[in-house]
């Protein structure tokens, strides 16, 4: 007999509840899955505070959006135009064409372990800008290291 | 033993979940229950013990006592591990 409970619940299942709270102006805390927002967000360790999205996301904001294939994504805005260009902090390929209507909520703060950081925290603001600006050099260094490893095998 | 105060049970898209009460929605503390988990959760709203939980399961489900007891023990241990019991 399986009298169980689970702590792992898919975001898709919870979306009606999340949208209910966001519509009431209440914040939602959840732990993102995956590695695309490393080093800022570690799966199973860190969590984010989402709030209902008002206005236009700015560069470096982190929205939760739903792709047209139904996937939920939490990535950073790096370009604002008629649509948004987003990318995970641990990624090198930009995702273009995120529309306004796909954005569900926006990160207003996050927990690194137990320590809370607002997105207005000076250290975080510095991190988000330096990390994004160094994407090209990080990508180049990563490819060089991968090439060296291949030659050494 | 009983469930601590401060939790509510909700049905979300056909799934039973337990949420901490409060002004925000903390999904890091959310729990999904299956049918028997939901049944035991309801039983644990009042002060009870393992024997009474097993008896309740035997009344509600077609199952032998050993299986019911093992299920109750697993469930109660998970609740204890998550700090949900007083």
């Amino acid at each position: 007999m399986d009298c169980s409970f689970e702590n792992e619940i898919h975001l898709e299942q919870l979306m009606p509840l999340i949208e209910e709270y966001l519509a009431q102006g209440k914040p939602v805390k959840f732990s993102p899955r995956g590695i695309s927002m490393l080093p800022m967000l570690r799966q199973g360790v860190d969590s984010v505070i989402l709030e209902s999205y008002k206005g236009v996301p700015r560069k470096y904001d982190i929205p939760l959006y739903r792709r047209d294939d139904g996937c939920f994504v939490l990535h950073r805005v790096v370009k604002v135009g008629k649509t948004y260009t987003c990318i995970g902090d641990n990624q090198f390929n930009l995702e273009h064409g995120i529309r306004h209507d796909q954005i569900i909520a926006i990160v207003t703060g996050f927990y690194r372990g137990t320590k809370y950081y607002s997105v207005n925290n000076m250290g975080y603001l510095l991190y988000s800008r330096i990390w994004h600006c160094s994407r090209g050099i990080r990508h180049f260094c990563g490819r060089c290291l991968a090439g060296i490893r291949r030659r050494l095998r | 033993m009983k469930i601590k105060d401060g939790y509510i049970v909700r049905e979300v898209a056909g799934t039973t979940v337990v949420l901490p009460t409060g002004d925000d929605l903390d999904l890091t503390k959310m729990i999904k229950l299956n049918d028997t988990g939901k049944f035991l959760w309801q039983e644990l709203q009042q002060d009870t013990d393992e024997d009474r939980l097993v008896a309740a399961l035997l009344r509600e489900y077609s199952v032998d006592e050993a299986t019911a007891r093992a299920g109750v023990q697993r469930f109660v241990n998970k609740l204890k591990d998550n700090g949900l019991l007083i």
Side-chain angles (χ1 to χ4, degrees):
Chain A
M1 169 164 259
D2 181 26
C3 314
S4 74
F5 71 70
E6 300 166 30
N7 299 101
E8 193 86 358
I9 305 172
H10 292 291
L11 208 54
E12 301 87 72
Q13 291 174 277
L14 297 171
M15 200 41 71
L17 192 63
I18 291 172
E19 285 174 333
E20 178 190 316
Y21 272 73
L22 290 173
Q24 293 170 20
K26 295 176 178 175
V28 175
K29 181 181 180 186
F30 88 102
S31 298
R33 298 168 74 178
I35 59 168
S36 66
M37 281 302 286
L38 284 172
M40 178 182 149
L41 299 173
R42 299 159 295 174
Q43 179 172 303
V45 180
D46 305 320
S47 54
V48 297
I49 306 295
L50 291 169
E51 291 192 36
S52 66
Y53 155 75
K54 299 181 189 82
V56 178
R58 296 162 304 172
K59 190 174 180 181
Y60 305 117
D61 281 350
I62 305 175
L64 173 72
Y65 58 93
R66 190 192 321 236
R67 287 185 181 141
D68 288 334
D69 65 5
C71 285
F72 292 96
V73 182
L74 193 75
H75 282 168
R76 188 180 303 282
V77 172
V78 291
K79 191 175 175 191
V80 179
K82 284 183 182 172
T83 59
Y84 304 100
T85 301
C86 297
I87 188 170
D89 284 1
N90 192 31
Q91 294 181 312
F92 297 109
N93 294 320
L94 297 167
E95 182 176 4
H96 300 280
I98 306 301
R99 300 183 311 277
H100 200 73
D101 63 282
Q102 291 177 273
I103 295 176
I104 298 161
I106 204 149
V107 172
T108 56
F110 61 95
Y111 285 86
R112 284 268 303 169
T114 54
K115 189 168 181 191
Y116 176 75
Y117 295 89
S118 159
V119 292
N120 298 317
N121 175 282
M122 193 55 73
Y124 166 73
L125 291 172
L126 206 58
Y127 155 80
S128 59
R129 281 143 184 82
I130 290 172
W131 195 256
H132 172 60
C133 291
S134 65
R135 184 168 56 92
I137 188 79
R138 285 186 290 108
H139 194 193
F140 175 75
C141 292
R143 290 175 70 174
C144 289
L145 282 172
I148 291 167
R149 283 196 198 106
R150 272 199 304 273
R151 282 166 192 268
L152 290 176
R153 274 182 201 152
Chain B
M1 61 184 159
K2 65 178 284 198
I3 296 288
K4 277 183 185 172
D5 289 338
Y7 292 90
I8 54 165
V9 177
R10 286 277 307 262
E11 296 289 329
V12 182
T15 304
T16 305
V17 296
V18 176
L19 295 164
T21 53
D23 282 340
D24 60 342
L25 173 61
D26 189 349
L27 298 176
T28 63
K29 292 181 180 163
M30 181 177 280
I31 294 162
K32 184 167 84 172
L33 297 173
N34 68 3
D35 278 349
T36 44
K38 182 181 169 187
F39 176 78
L40 289 176
W41 184 276
Q42 285 163 348
E43 291 294 314
L44 280 158
Q45 294 305 304
Q46 298 92 40
D47 194 23
T48 188
D49 58 31
E50 184 182 309
D51 288 340
R52 277 188 273 178
L53 289 173
V54 172
L57 269 187
L58 292 173
R59 278 195 305 274
E60 189 72 16
Y61 295 94
S62 174
V63 64
D64 65 83
E65 184 175 343
T67 307
R69 189 169 296 279
V72 165
Q73 285 170 347
R74 273 199 304 275
F75 188 73
V76 166
N77 285 337
K78 278 188 186 177
L79 293 176
K80 282 179 182 167
D81 291 346
N82 283 268
L84 296 169
L85 287 182
I86 49 171

